[in-house]
Amino acid sequence: MANIGNPKDYLILTNNPLIVECLQGKGAWTIDFRPELKFRDVLVTARDLVYAGHLLYTHPLSGSVKPNETPYKSVILSVEPHGMDNDHAIMIANAIEVTDKFQILDWSHSEQAMKDFRLIDYTLICGAIGFDALSGLSNKQSL
């Protein structure tokens, strides 16, 4: 993994609306919000960026949440390409392979469960960037 030291070089690729609601404008990072993507699609998009030379700053399967247990996924990559990194390419390819081994679950969960899934993904990203997750949530009315 690349050193995650410069927030100006953080590209947060996500399908999680909570990331946008709580982190947009709160730091130097860039958020690429793609609500239409499913979990696996976020990984495939991250893979394409890695193949184009962007670095992975977070592990694509961070946390203890299995790929089929949540519809939300956020990955931090470099904003700019820094050159192809074979280790990162292998890591993202392996993450997609692991994801493909899990049966896709029905996401007709309760709205509270979906909020919980968004919150888990959000707190993982906040931990990676050193952002106080609670301060980002402080202005939200619906948690």
Side-chain angles (χ1 to χ4, degrees), residues 9-11 53-57 76-82:
D9 196 37
Y10 298 169
L11 171 66
H54 296 261
L55 301 176
L56 279 174
Y57 286 145
I76 302 176
L77 302 108
S78 63
V79 170
E80 298 293 328
H82 295 279

Side-chain angles (χ1 to χ4, degrees), residues 69-88:
E69 291 179 342
T70 180
Y72 298 106
K73 186 64 198 159
S74 300
V75 179
I76 302 176
L77 302 108
S78 63
V79 170
E80 298 293 328
H82 295 279
M84 176 65 164
D85 185 302
N86 288 333
D87 291 337
H88 292 201

Side-chain angles (χ1 to χ4, degrees), residues 18-83:
L18 191 58
I19 298 288
V20 177
E21 292 172 34
C22 295
L23 294 180
Q24 188 76 44
K26 301 272 175 91
W29 45 76
T30 300
I31 298 174
D32 183 356
F33 178 52
R34 301 191 189 194
E36 74 283 1
L37 297 182
K38 295 181 175 164
F39 186 105
R40 184 184 190 281
D41 299 328
V42 172
L43 296 181
V44 169
T45 302
R47 180 205 59 202
D48 294 347
L49 289 168
V50 168
Y51 287 176
H54 296 261
L55 301 176
L56 279 174
Y57 286 145
T58 57
H59 194 285
L61 295 178
S62 58
S64 60
V65 182
K66 293 181 183 132
N68 68 333
E69 291 179 342
T70 180
Y72 298 106
K73 186 64 198 159
S74 300
V75 179
I76 302 176
L77 302 108
S78 63
V79 170
E80 298 293 328
H82 295 279

